[in-house]
Amino acid sequence: MTTRKHQNSIIAFATLGVYLGLLLAGATPGVLAQQAALAKEFRVKDEIETSDKLDNDPDVCRAADLEKIRELEATYLWFNDISIAEYRRLVEQLLDSYSEVPVFDVNWKPVGDLRPWRSVTASTELIGAKQSSDDISAEIIILGNGLPGKSFSFSATKDDYGHSFKLESTNFPYDQPLVRYLYSAAFDFYRCPSRGSELEDIILRHSEIRVQNRNLIITTRLPRGSLDTLLATNAK
């Protein structure tokens, strides 16, 4: 940790020296802005290295404040933390809509490659659901179009083991460690500290973000019986 702080101090002093040199040389605002962006890239890369060591550790909860999230969104315009909130709301909506369906296995896949005109189709229509698959499709399109991949898919399952949800944003064109870092930061922003209802907190505590072969994957697994009391209370 001491070595990392020392390295950051060296970068900070070096950056300050470059700024002063540019100012004395009469650099334009555009040149100064480029240098500021370069310094920000150094900070983000350093944070990615630290984040990689903490990924998939259930005992680590890294709080991310709103100012930090907004800074990341200003640097990477294709990144939007709201996608995590939309995913959480979608899972909550499905838990309510399919609460009376004992067993189900539904997946949605997009039709068409161009945003925002593409649509999604569901593999089946569930009898006894409070909402049709078409009603839920609109929420899935908004969520899928907001993620970095060129395409996406979403699935929801309920069996003897409980509920499972999986969202895949596939074939994104960006650096894999960067995508993992950004969406992990968004995930932590909503999870640490808790920012929603008890059900929303449970959803995020049982969710995981992974990046594999340029695919961003979000999964949620809720053990059978873990939500019965909570869902019954919310239904009243």
Side-chain angles (χ1 to χ4, degrees):
M1 184 63 70
T2 302
T3 301
R4 185 175 296 280
K5 289 182 178 178
H6 179 66
Q7 292 172 343
N8 288 342
S9 298
I10 293 175
I11 292 174
F13 281 119
T15 303
L16 179 59
V18 173
Y19 280 149
L20 292 175
L22 290 171
L23 286 172
L24 291 174
T28 65
V31 174
L32 294 175
Q34 290 176 359
Q35 185 62 32
L38 179 61
K40 184 179 292 185
E41 288 292 332
F42 271 116
R43 294 201 306 274
V44 170
K45 288 180 179 178
D46 185 64
E47 290 169 359
I48 290 174
E49 291 177 2
T50 303
S51 177
D52 285 346
K53 298 177 181 178
L54 299 174
D55 275 348
N56 298 322
D57 186 344
D59 296 325
V60 175
C61 187
R62 294 159 290 165
D65 58 30
L66 181 60
E67 181 179 353
K68 178 61 179 178
I69 291 295
R70 293 295 174 260
E71 179 184 4
L72 292 172
E73 289 177 333
T75 305
Y76 306 99
L77 301 181
W78 47 267
F79 165 61
N80 189 347
D81 73 280
I82 296 178
S83 296
I84 302 302
E86 290 173 342
Y87 172 82
R88 182 184 62 185
R89 285 195 297 268
L90 175 60
V91 171
E92 185 177 15
Q93 181 181 358
L94 287 166
L95 287 171
D96 177 63
S97 298
Y98 295 171
S99 60
E100 302 301 323
V101 182
V103 177
F104 58 80
D105 185 359
V106 189
N107 61 77
W108 288 261
K109 294 184 178 180
V111 177
D113 297 326
L114 297 178
R115 304 177 186 181
W117 297 280
R118 61 186 173 194
S119 59
V120 295
T121 58
S123 59
T124 186
E125 186 68 52
L126 297 179
I127 299 175
K130 298 179 183 178
Q131 290 181 292
S132 69
S133 58
D134 289 339
D135 293 333
I136 297 172
S137 294
E139 304 296 331
I140 295 175
I141 292 173
I142 293 174
L143 174 59
N145 282 345
L147 291 169
K150 296 180 180 180
S151 188
F152 63 88
S153 63
F154 182 83
S155 62
T157 304
K158 182 181 179 182
D159 54 25
D160 292 339
Y161 298 98
H163 295 82
S164 297
F165 303 91
K166 184 177 182 180
L167 171 67
E168 291 191 66
S169 179
T170 58
N171 196 24
F172 58 75
Y174 308 106
D175 183 64
Q176 293 189 80
L178 176 61
V179 171
R180 180 172 62 249
Y181 168 73
L182 292 176
Y183 284 92
S184 293
F187 183 89
D188 288 339
F189 172 69
Y190 288 97
R191 190 184 62 163
C192 311
S194 60
R195 301 174 187 273
S197 66
E198 184 179 357
L199 176 56
E200 291 171 337
D201 292 341
I202 291 175
I203 291 170
L204 289 187
R205 285 203 305 269
H206 289 80
S207 298
E208 178 187 30
I209 290 180
R210 293 178 291 118
V211 172
Q212 294 179 343
N213 301 322
R214 298 199 177 278
N215 300 325
L216 174 64
I217 305 169
I218 305 176
T219 55
T220 302
R221 293 182 177 86
L222 302 168
R224 192 170 185 86
S226 61
L227 297 174
D228 291 350
T229 302
L230 189 58
L231 290 174
T233 301
N234 291 344
K236 294 180 180 179

